[in-house]
Amino acid sequence: MTVQTLYDDVANFIANMNPTKILELKAPLEAQERVQALIKKEKESALTATEKDELDHFLVLERLIRLAKAHARQRLSGV
């Protein structure tokens, strides 16, 4: 099993819960602002190890949610 397969499996599981609700899912404004601040800091200087870890976790979650939304769209379209 590859990491990509695992992501797809988890995203598919999430999408099966309630595809319509999954499509409505988005990060709270506070989280969006934090990610933007971390990205800006990363471009302008250097992140601490803790900040880099935090940004990495945000990016993994974003990837997973995007995959879940793609699976949800497929479920709703009947594909």
Side-chain angles (χ1 to χ4, degrees), residues 21-45:
K21 292 265 187 212
I22 296 303
L23 292 176
E24 295 171 0
L25 185 62
K26 68 178 195 174
L29 182 57
E30 182 179 332
Q32 293 175 34
E33 290 171 348
R34 179 64 178 155
V35 168
Q36 291 303 315
L38 289 170
I39 291 171
K40 182 178 179 183
K41 183 177 179 186
E42 183 178 44
K43 290 178 181 178
E44 294 174 351
S45 59

mmCIF file of all heavy atoms in Angstrom, residues 21-45:
data_model
loop_
_atom_site.group_PDB
_atom_site.id
_atom_site.type_symbol
_atom_site.label_atom_id
_atom_site.label_comp_id
_atom_site.label_asym_id
_atom_site.label_seq_id
_atom_site.Cartn_x
_atom_site.Cartn_y
_atom_site.Cartn_z
ATOM 1 N N LYS A 21 -22.359 17.303 2.618
ATOM 2 C CA LYS A 21 -21.716 18.004 3.738
ATOM 3 C C LYS A 21 -20.210 18.127 3.515
ATOM 4 O O LYS A 21 -19.611 19.147 3.861
ATOM 5 C CB LYS A 21 -21.975 17.278 5.054
ATOM 6 C CG LYS A 21 -23.406 17.332 5.502
ATOM 7 C CD LYS A 21 -23.576 18.452 6.452
ATOM 8 C CE LYS A 21 -24.979 18.395 7.025
ATOM 9 N NZ LYS A 21 -25.481 19.706 7.322
ATOM 10 N N ILE A 22 -19.606 17.113 2.939
ATOM 11 C CA ILE A 22 -18.170 17.161 2.681
ATOM 12 C C ILE A 22 -17.842 18.296 1.714
ATOM 13 O O ILE A 22 -16.862 19.014 1.897
ATOM 14 C CB ILE A 22 -17.661 15.807 2.123
ATOM 15 C CG1 ILE A 22 -17.835 14.695 3.161
ATOM 16 C CG2 ILE A 22 -16.202 15.909 1.669
ATOM 17 C CD1 ILE A 22 -17.171 14.939 4.486
ATOM 18 N N LEU A 23 -18.676 18.490 0.701
ATOM 19 C CA LEU A 23 -18.440 19.575 -0.258
ATOM 20 C C LEU A 23 -18.554 20.945 0.393
ATOM 21 O O LEU A 23 -17.959 21.918 -0.088
ATOM 22 C CB LEU A 23 -19.392 19.460 -1.441
ATOM 23 C CG LEU A 23 -19.152 18.258 -2.345
ATOM 24 C CD1 LEU A 23 -20.221 18.183 -3.426
ATOM 25 C CD2 LEU A 23 -17.760 18.290 -2.947
ATOM 26 N N GLU A 24 -19.283 21.049 1.482
ATOM 27 C CA GLU A 24 -19.439 22.315 2.194
ATOM 28 C C GLU A 24 -18.298 22.582 3.176
ATOM 29 O O GLU A 24 -18.156 23.694 3.679
ATOM 30 C CB GLU A 24 -20.764 22.320 2.968
ATOM 31 C CG GLU A 24 -21.988 22.262 2.084
ATOM 32 C CD GLU A 24 -23.281 22.056 2.862
ATOM 33 O OE1 GLU A 24 -23.236 21.961 4.102
ATOM 34 O OE2 GLU A 24 -24.333 21.976 2.217
ATOM 35 N N LEU A 25 -17.492 21.564 3.430
ATOM 36 C CA LEU A 25 -16.433 21.662 4.429
ATOM 37 C C LEU A 25 -15.347 22.632 4.007
ATOM 38 O O LEU A 25 -14.861 22.599 2.872
ATOM 39 C CB LEU A 25 -15.824 20.271 4.652
ATOM 40 C CG LEU A 25 -14.776 20.123 5.738
ATOM 41 C CD1 LEU A 25 -15.378 20.456 7.108
ATOM 42 C CD2 LEU A 25 -14.245 18.704 5.745
ATOM 43 N N LYS A 26 -14.985 23.538 4.905
ATOM 44 C CA LYS A 26 -13.848 24.423 4.667
ATOM 45 C C LYS A 26 -13.242 24.800 6.015
ATOM 46 O O LYS A 26 -13.903 24.735 7.061
ATOM 47 C CB LYS A 26 -14.223 25.653 3.865
ATOM 48 C CG LYS A 26 -15.127 26.638 4.540
ATOM 49 C CD LYS A 26 -15.361 27.817 3.617
ATOM 50 C CE LYS A 26 -15.961 28.970 4.386
ATOM 51 N NZ LYS A 26 -16.076 30.165 3.574
ATOM 52 N N ALA A 27 -11.996 25.163 5.968
ATOM 53 C CA ALA A 27 -11.277 25.507 7.193
ATOM 54 C C ALA A 27 -11.838 26.793 7.787
ATOM 55 O O ALA A 27 -12.226 27.707 7.057
ATOM 56 C CB ALA A 27 -9.797 25.672 6.892
ATOM 57 N N PRO A 28 -11.856 26.869 9.108
ATOM 58 C CA PRO A 28 -12.275 28.124 9.748
ATOM 59 C C PRO A 28 -11.337 29.268 9.345
ATOM 60 O O PRO A 28 -10.160 29.036 9.021
ATOM 61 C CB PRO A 28 -12.130 27.833 11.249
ATOM 62 C CG PRO A 28 -12.028 26.356 11.373
ATOM 63 C CD PRO A 28 -11.497 25.850 10.067
ATOM 64 N N LEU A 29 -11.841 30.468 9.360
ATOM 65 C CA LEU A 29 -11.069 31.643 8.963
ATOM 66 C C LEU A 29 -9.763 31.740 9.752
ATOM 67 O O LEU A 29 -8.708 32.052 9.194
ATOM 68 C CB LEU A 29 -11.899 32.921 9.145
ATOM 69 C CG LEU A 29 -11.230 34.223 8.718
ATOM 70 C CD1 LEU A 29 -10.811 34.165 7.251
ATOM 71 C CD2 LEU A 29 -12.162 35.399 8.965
ATOM 72 N N GLU A 30 -9.808 31.442 11.020
ATOM 73 C CA GLU A 30 -8.607 31.498 11.865
ATOM 74 C C GLU A 30 -7.519 30.552 11.343
ATOM 75 O O GLU A 30 -6.340 30.907 11.282
ATOM 76 C CB GLU A 30 -8.971 31.138 13.309
ATOM 77 C CG GLU A 30 -7.815 31.217 14.277
ATOM 78 C CD GLU A 30 -8.216 30.870 15.697
ATOM 79 O OE1 GLU A 30 -9.392 31.084 16.072
ATOM 80 O OE2 GLU A 30 -7.355 30.375 16.445
ATOM 81 N N ALA A 31 -7.917 29.353 10.944
ATOM 82 C CA ALA A 31 -6.954 28.388 10.409
ATOM 83 C C ALA A 31 -6.406 28.870 9.063
ATOM 84 O O ALA A 31 -5.201 28.754 8.796
ATOM 85 C CB ALA A 31 -7.597 27.017 10.259
ATOM 86 N N GLN A 32 -7.272 29.420 8.223
ATOM 87 C CA GLN A 32 -6.827 29.936 6.924
ATOM 88 C C GLN A 32 -5.797 31.054 7.112
ATOM 89 O O GLN A 32 -4.780 31.102 6.413
ATOM 90 C CB GLN A 32 -8.018 30.456 6.128
ATOM 91 C CG GLN A 32 -8.999 29.387 5.701
ATOM 92 C CD GLN A 32 -10.233 29.979 5.026
ATOM 93 O OE1 GLN A 32 -10.144 30.989 4.331
ATOM 94 N NE2 GLN A 32 -11.376 29.350 5.231
ATOM 95 N N GLU A 33 -6.077 31.935 8.053
ATOM 96 C CA GLU A 33 -5.157 33.040 8.322
ATOM 97 C C GLU A 33 -3.827 32.529 8.863
ATOM 98 O O GLU A 33 -2.768 33.048 8.517
ATOM 99 C CB GLU A 33 -5.795 34.027 9.300
ATOM 100 C CG GLU A 33 -6.940 34.808 8.691
ATOM 101 C CD GLU A 33 -7.724 35.634 9.700
ATOM 102 O OE1 GLU A 33 -7.546 35.442 10.933
ATOM 103 O OE2 GLU A 33 -8.531 36.469 9.257
ATOM 104 N N ARG A 34 -3.878 31.504 9.714
ATOM 105 C CA ARG A 34 -2.651 30.943 10.273
ATOM 106 C C ARG A 34 -1.798 30.323 9.165
ATOM 107 O O ARG A 34 -0.585 30.523 9.125
ATOM 108 C CB ARG A 34 -2.984 29.904 11.351
ATOM 109 C CG ARG A 34 -1.780 29.242 11.965
ATOM 110 C CD ARG A 34 -0.908 30.219 12.715
ATOM 111 N NE ARG A 34 0.215 29.523 13.331
ATOM 112 C CZ ARG A 34 1.364 30.078 13.639
ATOM 113 N NH1 ARG A 34 1.544 31.378 13.441
ATOM 114 N NH2 ARG A 34 2.331 29.389 14.179
ATOM 115 N N VAL A 35 -2.421 29.588 8.264
ATOM 116 C CA VAL A 35 -1.688 28.977 7.158
ATOM 117 C C VAL A 35 -1.036 30.062 6.302
ATOM 118 O O VAL A 35 0.142 29.962 5.938
ATOM 119 C CB VAL A 35 -2.600 28.085 6.297
ATOM 120 C CG1 VAL A 35 -1.921 27.692 5.003
ATOM 121 C CG2 VAL A 35 -3.025 26.856 7.076
ATOM 122 N N GLN A 36 -1.781 31.100 5.989
ATOM 123 C CA GLN A 36 -1.228 32.193 5.183
ATOM 124 C C GLN A 36 -0.047 32.856 5.888
ATOM 125 O O GLN A 36 0.964 33.176 5.255
ATOM 126 C CB GLN A 36 -2.311 33.229 4.856
ATOM 127 C CG GLN A 36 -3.361 32.721 3.900
ATOM 128 C CD GLN A 36 -2.771 32.234 2.593
ATOM 129 O OE1 GLN A 36 -1.910 32.874 1.995
ATOM 130 N NE2 GLN A 36 -3.223 31.075 2.152
ATOM 131 N N ALA A 37 -0.158 33.047 7.198
ATOM 132 C CA ALA A 37 0.933 33.649 7.962
ATOM 133 C C ALA A 37 2.171 32.755 7.948
ATOM 134 O O ALA A 37 3.302 33.243 7.801
ATOM 135 C CB ALA A 37 0.484 33.920 9.399
ATOM 136 N N LEU A 38 1.965 31.453 8.094
ATOM 137 C CA LEU A 38 3.092 30.524 8.077
ATOM 138 C C LEU A 38 3.759 30.494 6.698
ATOM 139 O O LEU A 38 4.985 30.489 6.590
ATOM 140 C CB LEU A 38 2.641 29.121 8.478
ATOM 141 C CG LEU A 38 2.284 28.937 9.945
ATOM 142 C CD1 LEU A 38 1.609 27.584 10.168
ATOM 143 C CD2 LEU A 38 3.511 29.084 10.835
ATOM 144 N N ILE A 39 2.963 30.501 5.643
ATOM 145 C CA ILE A 39 3.517 30.499 4.284
ATOM 146 C C ILE A 39 4.301 31.784 4.032
ATOM 147 O O ILE A 39 5.405 31.761 3.478
ATOM 148 C CB ILE A 39 2.400 30.300 3.241
ATOM 149 C CG1 ILE A 39 1.839 28.875 3.344
ATOM 150 C CG2 ILE A 39 2.912 30.598 1.833
ATOM 151 C CD1 ILE A 39 0.594 28.634 2.521
ATOM 152 N N LYS A 40 3.745 32.904 4.449
ATOM 153 C CA LYS A 40 4.427 34.188 4.274
ATOM 154 C C LYS A 40 5.753 34.191 5.022
ATOM 155 O O LYS A 40 6.785 34.602 4.480
ATOM 156 C CB LYS A 40 3.538 35.330 4.768
ATOM 157 C CG LYS A 40 4.140 36.698 4.587
ATOM 158 C CD LYS A 40 3.204 37.787 5.054
ATOM 159 C CE LYS A 40 3.877 39.145 4.868
ATOM 160 N NZ LYS A 40 3.053 40.233 5.367
ATOM 161 N N LYS A 41 5.728 33.715 6.269
ATOM 162 C CA LYS A 41 6.954 33.683 7.062
ATOM 163 C C LYS A 41 7.989 32.760 6.424
ATOM 164 O O LYS A 41 9.178 33.069 6.404
ATOM 165 C CB LYS A 41 6.668 33.242 8.493
ATOM 166 C CG LYS A 41 7.899 33.259 9.369
ATOM 167 C CD LYS A 41 7.610 32.904 10.801
ATOM 168 C CE LYS A 41 8.920 32.932 11.603
ATOM 169 N NZ LYS A 41 8.730 32.469 12.975
ATOM 170 N N GLU A 42 7.518 31.641 5.891
ATOM 171 C CA GLU A 42 8.434 30.683 5.258
ATOM 172 C C GLU A 42 9.132 31.320 4.049
ATOM 173 O O GLU A 42 10.317 31.077 3.806
ATOM 174 C CB GLU A 42 7.670 29.436 4.823
ATOM 175 C CG GLU A 42 8.542 28.352 4.227
ATOM 176 C CD GLU A 42 7.749 27.120 3.845
ATOM 177 O OE1 GLU A 42 6.655 27.273 3.255
ATOM 178 O OE2 GLU A 42 8.226 26.019 4.136
ATOM 179 N N LYS A 43 8.410 32.156 3.304
ATOM 180 C CA LYS A 43 8.989 32.818 2.133
ATOM 181 C C LYS A 43 9.951 33.935 2.524
ATOM 182 O O LYS A 43 10.936 34.186 1.832
ATOM 183 C CB LYS A 43 7.884 33.380 1.244
ATOM 184 C CG LYS A 43 7.082 32.324 0.531
ATOM 185 C CD LYS A 43 5.981 32.945 -0.296
ATOM 186 C CE LYS A 43 5.169 31.867 -1.002
ATOM 187 N NZ LYS A 43 4.063 32.436 -1.783
ATOM 188 N N GLU A 44 9.643 34.614 3.622
ATOM 189 C CA GLU A 44 10.425 35.792 4.021
ATOM 190 C C GLU A 44 11.610 35.453 4.915
ATOM 191 O O GLU A 44 12.597 36.187 4.917
ATOM 192 C CB GLU A 44 9.518 36.794 4.734
ATOM 193 C CG GLU A 44 8.454 37.386 3.824
ATOM 194 C CD GLU A 44 7.472 38.269 4.559
ATOM 195 O OE1 GLU A 44 7.497 38.314 5.803
ATOM 196 O OE2 GLU A 44 6.653 38.916 3.867
ATOM 197 N N SER A 45 11.504 34.427 5.691
ATOM 198 C CA SER A 45 12.578 34.059 6.615
ATOM 199 C C SER A 45 12.556 32.546 6.787
ATOM 200 O O SER A 45 12.366 31.828 5.831
ATOM 201 C CB SER A 45 12.411 34.789 7.950
ATOM 202 O OG SER A 45 11.167 34.482 8.547
#
